[in-house]
Amino acid sequence: MTETIKKTLRDSAAARWTVLLFLAFAMFCSYIFMDILSPIKDLMQSTRGWDSTAFGTMQGSETFLNVFVFFLIFAGIILDKMGVRFTAVLSGFVMLVGATINWYAVTEQFMGSNLETWFNNNLNYIPGFDELGISPFYEGMPASAKFAAIGFMIFGCGVEMAGITVSRGIVKWFKGREMALAMGSEMALARLGVATCMIFSPVFAKLGGDIDVSRSVAFGVVLLLIALIMFIVYFFMDKKLDAQTGEAEEKDDPFKISDLGKILSSGGFWLVALLCVLYYSAIFPFQKYAVNMLQCNLTFTKLSPDSFWATNTVTIIQYCIMLVVAAAAFASNFAKKKSLRAIYLITAVIALVVFCYMGYMRQSAETVFAVFPLLAVGITPILGNYVDHKGKAASMLVMGSVLLIICHLTFAFILPAFKGNTSGGIIIAYLTILVLGASFSLVPASLWPSVPKLVDAKIIGSAYALIFWIQNIGLWLFPLLIGKVLDKTNPQLVEDLKNGVITPEQAAVSYDYTAPLVMLACLGVAALILGFVLKAVDKKKGLGLEEPNIKD
């Protein structure tokens, strides 16, 4: 008599990867909103009066509640007690609420309102926080930046909750299977949001020749509504899986404070957490200033409004080409025939060259930086697949640190030397941005899949939450630091702006970024040292970080 083996959704590759697609698309939308103002920093200064300190303070506020009110720790507890489904939908709703507040703060309706007057007169001094130097507001900060910071704080709670929930969801659906490949693929696809933001945010802000930065934020809000819908669809698929397997949701395992002690007592956990905060602090805060850095270090020719390259049609074409690059590069990882894989790769390379050429012809910094995630989309699944079958996760982190250092030092010292050389500067910028994106792809492919090797599966949600909390300290601190360092190391520029010698538009594209970039390179040096320490600890204690995830 033949025994029938019952298969579940998790056993179906199509179902597993469909779930991953929903989760990745939701994170794709959240990544767009996270950097929605980054490519229009100059417009925020010229239309809303946000100098670098105000811009950096607002951007750093995203993680304020996560760090100082310990919301991320609570998010981990919610995840472990209430389960992936509930937490995913909750995170989508919180992101949408925060984004809506952020949008209203930069609208014309807010300007001149009673609410603007209130924010101008209040939140200039926060007892305790001001003394510690960690207040998300300061006297003289534009009212729109203060209110936007409140919305961004709420959004930040949702997006970080979504991050740990998605990681936990992938572990649930892919454990014992292609987990590193899945995590790498999710992050690669989600990071296309960075390119989407860089390409479309300025377009919406300048639509019809009338500058309105709130249109860019509204675009992000609509996408977050779609992200919430994706989480709701995931909710029902995950519920069906539990019905098939008979497994109870994670909430049947009550959270204990002692669980945190188990996590924090792990030396390997601390090394991974510190590596994470160093990596992410050198990348995410940089993304918020990258377009402005390119505007200050490269020479762009202003296009005639009648030029084909200045039309929105070009924007759509370039974005479609970007999707071809991403799809072909991603698909090459799954092609079984070598000939088909070669066709995909050749297509991706040709499309990438065309994409870069169009970015050069459009003469805008945001379209140059849009190339950032494209190489990562192609190689992250490769790296994830390698970690699944061959291991070497800790070694990859060391390699990523080296590339991180090289890229930031190139931006700091080599790129400025090409100012005035239109083609040479953009070529250097493209190559460095591509390598930086590739170096960052090492993190999701090697670091995140290592966490389940360090903690018990029952408390993995709390472990991810703790790592995200530690990471958020850097994501709060460094956008603020970069903004302050920019103003402090460009005193003449700040003085000339204050005295009316130059206009806000001129000031916004005249900063010297050397000091902030060297600071970010130092984070890479610290990550490199910790990477070697992690390799030594792994070898001594047998943590299994260099071992493959899939055992033969």
Side-chain angles (χ1 to χ4, degrees), residues 275 279 283 379 382-383 386-387 391-407 435-443 445-447 524-525 527-535 546:
L275 269 167
Y279 263 115
I283 298 288
I379 72 168
I382 296 174
L383 297 173
Y386 186 87
V387 172
K392 303 298 180 183
S395 298
M396 286 189 178
L397 293 173
V398 170
M399 188 188 309
S401 301
V402 173
L403 294 176
L404 199 65
I405 297 166
I406 292 172
C407 289
V435 173
L436 184 65
S439 73
F440 194 36
S441 67
L442 292 163
V443 179
S446 55
L447 190 149
V525 173
L528 179 61
I529 295 170
L530 279 182
F532 282 119
V533 173
L534 182 63
K535 280 175 64 72
E546 294 283 82

Side-chain angles (χ1 to χ4, degrees), residues 408-488:
H408 282 311
L409 291 180
T410 299
F411 285 132
F413 299 108
I414 297 178
L415 189 62
F418 282 82
K419 190 173 178 66
N421 184 335
T422 307
S423 56
I426 288 184
I427 290 172
I428 294 293
Y430 270 136
L431 292 175
T432 311
I433 292 166
L434 283 167
V435 173
L436 184 65
S439 73
F440 194 36
S441 67
L442 292 163
V443 179
S446 55
L447 190 149
W448 293 120
S450 300
V451 177
K453 297 179 180 180
L454 303 174
V455 299
D456 189 273
K458 294 179 181 179
I459 53 174
I460 197 168
S462 298
Y464 278 125
L466 276 172
I467 291 179
F468 273 59
W469 178 74
I470 295 167
Q471 164 196 316
N472 270 237
I473 296 174
L475 298 187
W476 159 77
L477 178 63
F478 282 94
L480 186 147
L481 271 182
I482 294 172
K484 289 190 173 182
V485 168
L486 273 177
D487 282 338
K488 292 293 184 183

Side-chain angles (χ1 to χ4, degrees), residues 33 82 129 137 174 198 215 234 253 262 272 286 290 300 329 335 354 364 457 463 468 494 511 513:
F33 194 86
M82 303 302 293
F129 288 100
F137 315 108
F174 285 87
M198 296 300 159
R215 285 195 296 256
Y234 167 77
D253 262 327
K262 294 176 186 176
V272 169
F286 170 73
F300 292 103
V354 174
S364 64
F468 273 59
V494 174
Y511 286 98
Y513 269 84

Side-chain angles (χ1 to χ4, degrees), residues 75-327:
I77 295 172
I78 293 170
L79 177 57
D80 281 333
K81 292 194 69 167
M82 303 302 293
V84 178
R85 296 192 294 270
F86 174 86
T87 314
V89 175
L90 177 63
S91 67
F93 178 75
V94 172
M95 281 194 293
L96 185 59
V97 170
T100 304
I101 294 172
N102 190 278
W103 162 75
Y104 182 69
V106 297
T107 59
E108 295 287 343
Q109 289 73 22
F110 176 78
M111 297 177 70
S113 67
N114 292 332
L115 197 56
E116 182 187 36
T117 302
W118 188 92
F119 274 96
N120 274 323
N121 297 330
N122 294 278
L123 299 181
N124 293 315
Y125 171 73
I126 312 294
F129 288 100
D130 273 270
E131 282 75 9
L132 293 172
I134 58 173
S135 177
F137 315 108
Y138 61 86
E139 189 170 0
M141 185 176 182
S144 58
K146 288 180 185 176
F147 194 35
I150 291 174
F152 216 37
M153 287 179 202
I154 298 171
F155 166 78
C157 291
V159 75
E160 297 301 334
M161 186 193 295
I164 60 173
T165 303
V166 166
S167 296
R168 184 69 177 90
I170 292 174
V171 169
K172 179 177 181 178
W173 280 77
F174 285 87
K175 192 170 184 180
R177 296 175 175 84
E178 324 92 328
M179 188 165 64
L181 175 61
M183 284 192 171
S185 299
E186 178 270 323
M187 190 56 71
L189 293 173
R191 282 193 187 134
L192 285 178
V194 179
T196 303
C197 171
M198 296 300 159
I199 290 174
F200 284 106
S201 180
V203 170
F204 282 106
K206 301 172 183 176
L207 204 60
D210 176 35
I211 294 177
D212 184 354
V213 293
S214 69
R215 285 195 296 256
S216 297
V217 185
F219 166 64
V221 172
V222 171
L223 289 176
L224 286 177
L225 178 60
I226 297 173
L228 176 58
I229 295 171
M230 293 295 100
F231 279 136
I232 292 172
V233 173
Y234 167 77
F235 179 97
F236 289 105
M237 290 192 71
D238 194 74
K239 189 174 183 179
K240 185 175 181 180
L241 173 66
D242 281 354
Q244 289 177 336
T245 61
E247 295 175 359
E249 262 277 76
E250 292 87 342
K251 61 183 178 183
D252 289 339
D253 262 327
F255 173 84
K256 302 183 186 68
I257 294 296
S258 58
D259 291 339
L260 294 180
K262 294 176 186 176
I263 299 170
L264 296 175
S265 61
S266 168
F269 167 84
W270 275 107
L271 286 171
V272 169
L274 290 174
L275 269 167
C276 179
V277 71
L278 291 169
Y279 263 115
Y280 278 65
S281 295
I283 298 288
F284 281 128
F286 170 73
Q287 283 179 197
K288 299 181 185 301
Y289 290 88
V291 170
N292 189 235
M293 183 274 294
L294 293 175
Q295 289 171 335
C296 296
N297 285 328
L298 293 176
T299 302
F300 292 103
T301 304
K302 189 173 182 178
L303 297 176
S304 166
D306 299 327
S307 169
F308 168 72
W309 298 104
T311 64
N312 289 335
T313 302
V314 176
T315 304
I316 303 298
I317 294 172
Q318 189 180 22
Y319 190 70
C320 291
I321 292 173
M322 184 204 80
L323 295 179
V324 172
V325 176

